[in-house]
Amino acid sequence: MSYFLCDEFQNMEPYIPGEQPKDRAYIKLNANESSIPPSPRVLEAVSQSRIQGLGHYSDPHCKQLREAIGETYGVGADRVFVGNGADEVLGFCFMSFFSPRMKLCFPDITYDFYRTYAKTNRIDFEQIPLDTGFHVNVEDYIATDRDIVLANPNNPTGLTLSVSDIERIVADKPNRLVIIDEAYVDYGNESCIPLTEKYANLIVVQTFSKSRNLAGARIGFAIASKEIIDDMNKIKFTFNPFNMSEFALAAGSAAVRDTAYLERCVHSVLATRVRVQKALEKMNFFVAKPHANFLFVSHPYISGGKLCGMLKERGILAL
Amino acid sequence: MSYFLCDEFQNMEPYIPGEQPKDRAYIKLNANESSIPPSPRVLEAVSQSRIQGLGHYSDPHCKQLREAIGETYGVGADRVFVGNGADEVLGFCFMSFFSPRMKLCFPDITYDFYRTYAKTNRIDFEQIPLDTGFHVNVEDYIATDRDIVLANPNNPTGLTLSVSDIERIVADKPNRLVIIDEAYVDYGNESCIPLTEKYANLIVVQTFSKSRNLAGARIGFAIASKEIIDDMNKIKFTFNPFNMSEFALAAGSAAVRDTAYLERCVHSVLATRVRVQKALEKMNFFVAKPHANFLFVSHPYISGGKLCGMLKERGILAL
């Protein structure tokens, strides 16, 4: 640690990226990535002429991409925030709306980023236990006074809350902010985006890293009230005004408009998911009802750690 | 403003991007951009096969790009931080090393971002006046106890401090952090990077947006002690671990290794600069001794505002 690091970061817990060993070629299952290429329209969009023009700054208002997302999801571009990956979108949500000592809660088993950010930035966070079936208990979240972050489907369980359950949480306390992280929503689930029309205390975050096969392009977005999106843009303009590259704006705009390709990719992932689930169940695995592009499994006799080790020996990274 | 925005941001001053009117085609001089395409190696690097593989996350450690920059500047990759544009690099410097109420200073006429960030994040900042010739007075910065941010060459004056003057500032108080923003250093100036070998309180920030003709790709970097870079990476890993896209890593690595192309581009810009300076001086303009890819000029009879208006009428954006 340098002499200069701010004292308040002494207890930070930086995110530790998943293992990426280079000793052999692995089948990587540990980041819920896609092995399908992005829409062919992305290749067209990242054209030679666009690369030749890179001497010019990209649009800091990200108009083209915000309009493309807005049209796809039936909301105005002024209700869309775009970021350099959904992590940056979440980072700007947290930076804008949570100060040190503000009260936040999320499940004890969920996407690690929430804890990492909250701990480092001294937010007063509570991790609410899942129930014995690994489900989020909606009553816990209706009861709490804390602001809320929920991944839906949850990661790594793949289990979901219904949109009507989430509406119960959101509607119950209008001054409580609720962030719903829908990274995996496209795999056959219902989105909470329509609720943002009605509730000013709801932010829905999505990513291009899963169903759009663009993890390496770093594109995420939030949909909320115009006021929330204005706040996030103002905060962005004080931290990094030009946060989206010309590449990200072009690739994202092309990908989001290709809904036919999205459906084909999702269909293909779901077919694989059904096939693998059946095979695992034949081998006595418990498989939690899947709603994402991954399976959450356990075996009656063999521990998860041991299974991961055995898979790694066979060239498969599961953790 | 939404109900949820943190109270401390009530007085924020978001950055206002330069005007980008669409009513006609303009010659844009207002962002010090480059009209030269990037290195042809960038086109090769952003290949079809790389786009096909975008389903996978980019390397959060940014190894390839940090090594390419380290080799080019003769420092270890562990002393290189890379960010989504130099603004993000500066953002992470500020976030890591300046808390609310810490004391910082910079010139009263300089890159607006420092003030924007400092004001929004409630840093106690002082803006030290330039002298009557628009120069930074080195003695002011030796005298102060505040941490320091200096653009060198300064923006928008294009005037420089010598590396030996900056060394005097850095050496004088080893517990005072000094950030030197060298966005325009490649246009014939000397870099402070070699000083980072010797001084643990110096951070040098550079960008690919000017001499590398890659403003739209969003790539910037910092070189400092290993401890400073470690701190910045830890902060990055709590805010946005995958901050560099596969595009940025590929384009940046290809561009930074093409030093012959860099030299050709710089030579071409300097030739234009000499030509335009001579023409302006013939028309009685005062031109501050230029060190960047822009000229800082004034006219004895016509105000800057009026000149900008007249240029805009002629299709040239100067402000």
Side-chain angles (χ1 to χ4, degrees):
Chain A
M1 194 177 294
S2 80
Y3 170 84
F4 301 100
L5 185 69
C6 294
D7 292 343
E8 57 261 41
F9 293 129
Q10 303 288 334
N11 295 319
M12 71 175 157
E13 285 187 4
Y15 168 86
I16 297 161
E19 197 187 14
Q20 300 195 23
K22 302 278 179 207
D23 55 330
R24 60 186 278 191
Y26 284 94
I27 296 173
K28 274 186 93 259
L29 302 182
N30 61 345
N32 305 335
E33 287 157 313
S34 166
S35 53
I36 308 173
S39 159
R41 295 195 199 171
V42 170
L43 200 57
E44 285 164 36
V46 183
S47 62
Q48 184 161 344
S49 68
R50 217 176 252 260
I51 294 172
Q52 300 294 359
L54 282 175
H56 293 279
Y57 283 93
S58 44
D59 170 19
H61 301 291
C62 308
K63 194 166 174 283
Q64 177 196 14
L65 180 55
R66 292 170 70 195
E67 283 178 356
I69 293 170
E71 282 165 27
T72 305
Y73 291 95
V75 306
D78 58 356
R79 298 218 289 114
V80 180
F81 177 88
V82 293
N84 179 31
D87 284 347
E88 191 190 66
V89 175
L90 288 165
F92 281 125
C93 284
F94 281 50
M95 195 189 273
S96 305
F97 307 117
F98 302 127
S99 308
R101 291 173 299 281
M102 276 179 67
K103 290 177 187 305
L104 177 66
C105 68
F106 42 84
D108 61 343
I109 299 176
T110 192
Y111 182 37
D112 279 346
F113 181 83
Y114 315 144
R115 186 189 151 84
T116 294
Y117 189 97
K119 173 95 182 168
T120 301
N121 293 284
R122 293 149 293 128
I123 295 163
D124 171 358
F125 64 95
E126 184 187 345
Q127 295 181 275
I128 300 180
L130 297 181
D131 74 14
T132 50
F134 297 107
H135 291 90
V136 169
N137 177 8
V138 65
E139 304 303 333
D140 293 341
Y141 293 86
I142 293 174
T144 184
D145 285 326
R146 291 169 178 263
D147 291 335
I148 294 168
V149 187
L150 285 172
N152 193 48
N154 197 8
N155 168 7
T157 65
L159 297 171
T160 53
L161 285 181
S162 67
V163 169
S164 62
D165 273 347
I166 289 173
E167 182 166 12
R168 284 176 61 211
I169 298 170
V170 173
D172 191 65
K173 297 188 177 73
N175 289 347
R176 178 177 63 187
L177 187 64
V178 180
I179 300 172
I180 302 295
D181 178 352
E182 295 190 342
Y184 299 98
V185 76
D186 286 333
Y187 298 102
N189 309 291
E190 214 183 340
S191 170
C192 289
I193 289 174
L195 297 182
T196 61
E197 200 78 53
K198 197 167 154 194
Y199 297 101
N201 60 327
L202 173 64
I203 305 175
V204 176
V205 177
Q206 289 198 13
T207 182
F208 281 49
S209 298
K210 308 299 176 186
S211 56
R212 310 266 180 197
N213 319 303
L214 281 170
R218 314 309 303 123
I219 307 166
F221 64 95
I223 293 181
S225 72
K226 184 180 174 316
E227 289 70 27
I228 291 268
I229 298 302
D230 274 354
D231 287 345
M232 291 177 65
N233 269 316
K234 279 186 201 150
I235 293 294
K236 177 193 103 158
F237 273 108
T238 69
F239 182 75
N240 190 15
F242 298 85
N243 68 325
M244 302 299 283
S245 73
E246 196 60 25
F247 291 126
L249 295 177
S253 305
V256 79
R257 291 189 192 276
D258 197 351
T259 49
Y261 187 76
L262 171 76
E263 281 164 27
R264 285 219 310 281
C265 294
V266 165
H267 184 82
S268 151
V269 170
L270 295 189
T272 304
R273 192 175 81 185
V274 166
R275 184 167 53 80
V276 177
Q277 178 175 3
K278 278 187 186 153
L280 286 165
E281 283 171 344
K282 264 194 196 157
M283 292 188 280
N284 283 324
F285 278 87
F286 161 77
V287 181
K289 186 168 165 39
H291 296 85
N293 66 347
F294 56 83
L295 296 170
F296 184 67
V297 309
S298 61
H299 193 273
Y301 313 125
I302 315 172
S303 75
K306 189 160 182 200
L307 280 168
C308 283
M310 291 161 75
L311 284 168
K312 193 176 166 190
E313 280 170 23
R314 285 163 179 75
I316 299 169
L317 294 177
L319 196 72
Chain B
M1 194 177 293
S2 80
Y3 170 84
F4 301 100
L5 185 69
C6 294
D7 293 341
E8 58 261 43
F9 293 130
Q10 303 288 334
N11 295 319
M12 70 176 158
E13 286 188 3
Y15 167 86
I16 297 160
E19 197 189 13
Q20 299 194 22
K22 302 279 182 210
D23 54 332
R24 61 185 277 190
Y26 285 94
I27 297 173
K28 273 185 93 261
L29 303 182
N30 62 344
N32 305 335
E33 289 158 311
S34 166
S35 53
I36 308 173
S39 160
R41 295 196 199 169
V42 170
L43 200 57
E44 285 163 36
V46 182
S47 62
Q48 184 161 346
S49 68
R50 215 176 252 260
I51 293 171
Q52 300 295 357
L54 282 176
H56 293 278
Y57 283 94
S58 44
D59 170 20
H61 301 291
C62 309
K63 193 164 174 285
Q64 177 196 13
L65 180 55
R66 292 170 70 195
E67 284 177 357
I69 293 169
E71 283 165 26
T72 304
Y73 291 96
V75 306
D78 59 354
R79 299 217 288 114
V80 180
F81 177 88
V82 292
N84 179 34
D87 284 347
E88 192 191 66
V89 175
L90 288 165
F92 281 126
C93 284
F94 280 50
M95 194 189 273
S96 303
F97 306 117
F98 302 127
S99 307
R101 291 173 300 280
M102 276 180 67
K103 290 178 187 304
L104 177 66
C105 68
F106 41 85
D108 60 344
I109 299 177
T110 192
Y111 183 36
D112 279 346
F113 182 83
Y114 316 144
R115 186 190 151 87
T116 294
Y117 189 98
K119 172 97 182 168
T120 302
N121 293 284
R122 293 149 294 129
I123 295 164
D124 173 358
F125 63 94
E126 184 188 345
Q127 295 181 276
I128 300 180
L130 297 181
D131 74 14
T132 49
F134 297 107
H135 290 90
V136 169
N137 176 7
V138 65
E139 303 304 332
D140 293 341
Y141 292 86
I142 293 175
T144 184
D145 285 327
R146 292 170 178 263
D147 292 335
I148 293 167
V149 188
L150 285 173
N152 194 48
N154 196 11
N155 169 4
T157 65
L159 297 172
T160 54
L161 285 182
S162 67
V163 169
S164 62
D165 273 346
I166 289 173
E167 182 165 13
R168 286 175 62 210
I169 298 171
V170 173
D172 191 65
K173 297 190 178 73
N175 289 346
R176 177 177 63 188
L177 188 63
V178 180
I179 300 172
I180 303 294
D181 178 351
E182 294 189 342
Y184 300 97
V185 76
D186 287 334
Y187 299 102
N189 308 291
E190 215 185 339
S191 170
C192 290
I193 289 174
L195 298 181
T196 62
E197 201 78 52
K198 198 167 154 193
Y199 297 101
N201 59 327
L202 173 64
I203 305 175
V204 176
V205 176
Q206 290 198 12
T207 182
F208 281 49
S209 298
K210 308 297 177 187
S211 56
R212 311 266 180 199
N213 320 304
L214 281 169
R218 315 308 304 124
I219 308 166
F221 65 95
I223 294 182
S225 72
K226 184 179 173 316
E227 290 69 29
I228 290 269
I229 298 302
D230 275 354
D231 287 345
M232 289 177 66
N233 269 315
K234 278 185 200 149
I235 293 294
K236 177 193 103 158
F237 273 109
T238 69
F239 181 75
N240 191 15
F242 298 85
N243 68 325
M244 301 298 283
S245 73
E246 196 60 23
F247 291 126
L249 295 176
S253 306
V256 78
R257 291 188 192 278
D258 198 350
T259 49
Y261 187 75
L262 172 74
E263 280 163 27
R264 284 219 310 279
C265 294
V266 165
H267 184 81
S268 149
V269 170
L270 295 190
T272 303
R273 195 175 77 185
V274 167
R275 185 167 52 82
V276 176
Q277 179 175 3
K278 278 187 187 155
L280 287 166
E281 284 171 344
K282 265 194 197 159
M283 292 188 281
N284 284 323
F285 278 88
F286 162 77
V287 181
K289 188 169 164 36
H291 297 86
N293 67 347
F294 55 82
L295 295 170
F296 183 67
V297 309
S298 61
H299 192 274
Y301 313 125
I302 315 171
S303 75
K306 186 158 183 200
L307 281 168
C308 284
M310 290 160 74
L311 284 167
K312 193 175 166 190
E313 279 171 23
R314 286 162 177 75
I316 299 170
L317 294 177
L319 195 74

